[in-house]
Amino acid sequence: MANLSGFNANSVEPAVGFDPLPSGKYVAAVTNSEMKPTKAGNGNYLELTLEIVEGECKGRKVWARLNLENANAVTVQIARAELSAICRATGVLEPRDSVELHNIPMQITVKQKTRPDTGEITNEVRGFAKRETGQAATATQAKSSTPPWRRNG
């Protein structure tokens, strides 16, 4: 049993369930990272908590799990490639600790997938890239909105 004296549900907004994020690109930052053992106990994975920092989904979280220590060499190779993409996206090319990747906005690609064990739709982070800066985003928009016959060059 736990003592809950002093708690009044009338003074706290109730928790609401979240549907999975729609597939797409989001600006997010790593807010937490932790090395955890795999279910099989034969390796470890780096779990990254990514929080959306812009747009209508701001504040929502997704997780990435990088199997950096695993008996399967291909699994490790994939995880190391993902870590490389995260490092390049954040500009931290030689991190000594995962905390160095925290709170640096980057662009992530989120996909929806169906869990085979439960049939539940969940999110999976499938890509990491540098965040488009305001100037680069404006230049891209200007190029796409200007007809080819009106562009210089």
Side-chain angles (χ1 to χ4, degrees), residues 6-88:
F7 179 78
N8 180 349
N10 290 315
S11 64
V12 178
E13 287 297 317
V16 294
F18 287 111
D19 290 329
L21 291 171
S23 294
K25 295 185 185 297
Y26 297 90
V27 176
V30 175
T31 57
N32 191 35
S33 56
E34 183 179 354
M35 205 64 145
K36 294 184 172 184
T38 60
K39 271 188 205 177
N42 62 351
N44 292 298
Y45 63 92
L46 177 62
E47 182 177 74
L48 301 173
T49 302
L50 296 142
E51 185 171 327
I52 309 299
V53 296
E54 292 182 359
E56 63 183 54
C57 294
K58 183 177 180 177
R60 296 281 306 271
K61 295 180 182 181
V62 291
W63 289 264
R65 292 169 185 89
L66 310 180
N67 286 287
L68 296 172
E69 298 171 16
N70 194 287
N72 184 327
V74 174
T75 298
V76 172
Q77 181 182 6
I78 291 167
R80 290 176 62 84
E82 289 178 330
L83 181 57
S84 177
I86 293 166
C87 289
R88 292 166 193 263

Side-chain angles (χ1 to χ4, degrees), residues 34-152:
E34 183 179 354
M35 205 64 145
K36 294 184 172 184
T38 60
K39 271 188 205 177
N42 62 351
N44 292 298
Y45 63 92
L46 177 62
E47 182 177 74
L48 301 173
T49 302
L50 296 142
E51 185 171 327
I52 309 299
V53 296
E54 292 182 359
E56 63 183 54
C57 294
K58 183 177 180 177
R60 296 281 306 271
K61 295 180 182 181
V62 291
W63 289 264
R65 292 169 185 89
L66 310 180
N67 286 287
L68 296 172
E69 298 171 16
N70 194 287
N72 184 327
V74 174
T75 298
V76 172
Q77 181 182 6
I78 291 167
R80 290 176 62 84
E82 289 178 330
L83 181 57
S84 177
I86 293 166
C87 289
R88 292 166 193 263
T90 59
V92 181
L93 299 180
E94 296 183 39
R96 294 180 190 265
D97 191 293
S98 60
V99 74
E100 294 176 49
L101 304 171
H102 289 202
N103 304 313
I104 303 171
M106 67 179 130
Q107 182 176 285
I108 63 171
T109 301
V110 175
K111 301 284 184 186
Q112 288 187 344
K113 74 173 199 171
T114 303
R115 287 181 50 162
D117 56 339
T118 64
E120 178 184 15
I121 296 174
T122 62
N123 286 129
E124 180 175 68
V125 181
R126 299 287 295 274
F128 306 90
K130 282 190 176 204
R131 174 186 180 190
E132 281 191 24
T133 61
Q135 189 175 16
T138 303
T140 302
Q141 289 171 351
K143 271 188 178 178
S144 64
S145 64
T146 304
W149 60 88
R150 291 198 177 160
R151 293 184 196 152
N152 293 333

